[in-house]
Amino acid sequence: MDLGLTDRVYVLTGASRGLGYATAQCLVADGARVVLSARDADAVAAAAERLGGPERALGLAADLADPETPGQLVEAARQHFGRLDGALVSVGGPPAGNAAVISDEQWRQSFETVFLGTVRAVRTVADALPEGGAIGLVLSTSARGPVPGLGISNGLRPGLVGVAKDIADDYGPRGVRIVGLLPGRILTDRNRQLFAATGDPERARAEAEATIPLRRIGDPAEFGRVAAFVLSPAASYLTGVTVPVDGGALRGL
């Protein structure tokens, strides 16, 4: 199936590794070009080089908590590749812990990056996109149901789903699409850390797999392929929805 990605240009945040990088790999494999951003300058530069260097990928050190970042990424895409067709907005997972014990400062910092940083990026990119553009938000299955031990995520992610739906309504008449992606248990560094924090990572992984109908943890590439499709012209009638990528773990219809 031709996704229509050849020579299209996408900005991806939090993309030096994990789900952002996996999506970038899939986009580039289908002919797209990408601007990657992450806070670690060395890591994002190395990621861009692995994807083919300046002809296919540009890496920039940036933090979504900085209000200037979204505009800088839009400009970088236009200057380096001459166009912008969409974005994948992903931020690192907030601190673990139950909502009852998380400090005010942890809430504030997470709101600035996970929530406000995402909203600002989506708004800025959407304003810059032509008809046919698309934005994917990397959220979490916690948007549909609380995940034990992830109080901040349980609090912020559902709000982002509502924001994404609202923005999709605003930009739909311009032909710009907004889609939320809900990864479940995918074998990223974040999930490895959560398993390790239990003190018995092998047992924690086995217990997690037992709750997934496919009985396994997902691979980042499996998320990346879904995200690349959602961002592509092949998904041109898909907007204002959230798409679980979780092996069937969510039980809601």
Side-chain angles (χ1 to χ4, degrees), residues 10-245:
Y10 295 90
V11 165
L12 300 96
T13 71
S16 63
R17 57 181 182 169
L19 302 181
Y21 181 72
T23 302
Q25 285 182 302
C26 293
L27 290 169
V28 169
D30 263 47
R33 294 169 290 175
V34 295
V35 175
L36 312 179
S37 76
R39 287 178 291 183
D40 187 320
D42 291 339
V44 77
E49 189 62 30
R50 290 195 302 273
L51 291 172
E55 292 297 315
R56 307 306 307 177
L58 174 68
L60 296 176
D63 187 342
L64 278 187
D66 181 350
E68 301 299 319
T69 289
Q72 291 169 351
L73 296 177
V74 168
E75 187 62 21
R78 288 172 167 169
Q79 289 292 326
H80 192 76
F81 292 120
R83 60 187 287 177
L84 179 63
D85 299 284
L88 184 80
V89 181
S90 176
V91 298
N98 294 329
V101 298
I102 292 167
S103 70
D104 287 0
E105 185 58 27
Q106 287 176 310
W107 276 109
R108 289 191 189 97
Q109 290 178 352
S110 297
F111 179 82
E112 287 290 329
T113 54
V114 175
F115 194 94
L116 185 55
T118 296
V119 172
R120 186 189 296 119
V122 172
R123 184 178 62 219
T124 303
V125 173
D127 278 340
L129 290 180
E131 182 175 354
I135 300 173
L137 283 72
V138 182
L139 303 173
S140 165
T141 53
S142 62
R144 296 264 187 95
V147 177
L150 295 181
I152 295 179
S153 185
N154 295 336
L156 298 183
R157 303 293 193 187
L160 283 170
V161 170
V163 168
K165 182 68 171 177
D166 192 66
I167 294 177
D169 291 344
D170 286 341
Y171 285 89
R174 284 182 40 195
V176 173
R177 302 183 296 107
I178 314 292
V179 177
L181 295 155
L182 309 183
R185 290 291 197 174
I186 310 288
L187 197 57
T188 60
D189 290 344
R190 165 74 165 173
N191 271 301
R192 289 188 181 94
Q193 291 165 0
L194 293 174
F195 290 146
T198 67
D200 189 344
E202 292 303 319
R203 178 178 178 179
R205 176 170 177 166
E207 289 176 348
E209 289 177 330
T211 68
I212 301 170
L214 290 180
R215 293 297 188 271
R216 63 181 178 82
I217 303 297
D219 185 271
E222 293 178 297
F223 175 90
R225 288 190 289 269
V226 174
F229 167 74
V230 163
L231 292 172
S232 78
S236 58
Y237 205 53
L238 195 66
T239 193
V241 297
T242 53
V243 180
V245 188

